[in-house]
């Protein structure tokens, strides 16, 4: 019975193995980025950017149909343009960055849905919005694994700079040549992972595998060196659990993965040792941190 539920679907069906590899790739690179987004107080920025890629993906769809390269480059271009435009608006106007991002992402979402609807069917619109993790082909799988590998390598190489830019950006700018470069690198990695994730989970769900495991990990530890791999592990577990649940119940795969992450987050919110409800309600001993 145990193997029938948790092992047999992945052993017998190639599409389940593809879905598992693709979603694991997303979790391993996206969840650590989510930890940095939380520390930077940019959690909603990830959601905004995930919607911002939709017009570019829609233009790629209008030009070449459901073409992986066209939709990928279109989404990447649109995400970077919206991120830079929102940053410029917050710098040269009285609007804060969160307000600028909210405005741009709402316009982007509406524009993207309109563009897809002009030429495609409701099925195409659903594919763009919610993805199809069980329908990943070789090209999409290679894209997901490639983005994940590149992200993990860059996180390792620029780890110290990213931490300093998150905790004390002014100090980094004064002491390192990477001070001005690091924020743009981080933003580019976020957009790149969202663009890759949209092929599997769609523009509405891709940010979930980035933010929910990261939020859960932060409720268990305040140590960044532990939070990053913990978030990746939680994300991987949720992807596997969501695929199993979807296979057993015929629930949509993408939402099932995000619901699994939501369950882990709710559990962490109650029992988390570094910030859960029970932890905060327990009386602390003298001098206890």
């Amino acid at each position: 019975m145990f193997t029938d539920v948790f092992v047999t679907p992945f052993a017998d069906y190639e599409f389940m193995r593809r879905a598992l590899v693709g979603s694991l790739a997303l979790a391993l690179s996206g969840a650590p980025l989510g930890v940095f987004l939380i520390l930077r107080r940019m959690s909603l920025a990830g959601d905004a950017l995930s919607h911002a890629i939709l017009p570019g993906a829609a233009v790629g769809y209008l030009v070449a149909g459901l073409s992986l390269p066209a939709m990928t480059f279109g989404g990447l271009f649109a995400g970077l343009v919206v991120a830079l435009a929102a940053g410029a608006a917050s710098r040269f106007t009285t609007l804060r960055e969160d307000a600028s991002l909210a405005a741009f992402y709402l316009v982007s979402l509406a524009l993207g849905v309109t563009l897809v609807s002009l030429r495609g069917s409701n099925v195409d619109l659903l594919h763009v919005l919610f993805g199809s993790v069980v329908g990943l082909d070789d090209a999409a799988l290679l894209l997901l694994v490639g983005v994940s590998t590149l992200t993990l390598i860059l996180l390792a190489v620029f780890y110290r700079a990213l931490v300093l830019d998150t905790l004390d950006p002014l100090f980094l700018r004064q002491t390192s040549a990477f001070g001005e470069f690091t924020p743009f690198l981080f933003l580019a990695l976020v957009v790149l992972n969202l663009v890759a994730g949209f092929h599997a989970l769609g523009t509405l769900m891709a940010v979930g595998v980035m933010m929910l495991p990261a939020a859960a990990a932060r409720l268990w530890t305040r140590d960044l060196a532990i939070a990053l791999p913990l978030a990746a592990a939680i994300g991987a577990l949720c992807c596997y659990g969501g695929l199993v649940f979807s296979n057993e119940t015929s629930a949509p795969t993408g939402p099932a993965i995000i619901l699994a992450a939501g369950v882990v987050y709710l559990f962490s919110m109650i029992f988390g040792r570094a910030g859960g409800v029970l932890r905060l309600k327990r009386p602390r001993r003298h001098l206890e941190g």
Side-chain angles (χ1 to χ4, degrees), residues 166-182:
T166 299
L167 303 179
D168 195 346
L170 182 59
F171 175 78
L172 178 65
R173 285 167 175 78
Q174 292 175 343
T175 59
S176 174
F178 295 113
E180 297 295 334
F181 165 75
T182 304

Side-chain angles (χ1 to χ4, degrees), residues 7 22 31 34 46 49 73 79 96 115 134 148 153 168 171 174 223 236 247 255 263 270 277 289:
V7 178
L49 289 174
F73 286 112
R96 295 181 57 178
L115 289 174
V134 293
S148 178
I153 290 174
D168 195 346
F171 175 78
Q174 292 175 343
D223 188 337
N247 183 67
V263 169
I270 297 172
V277 173

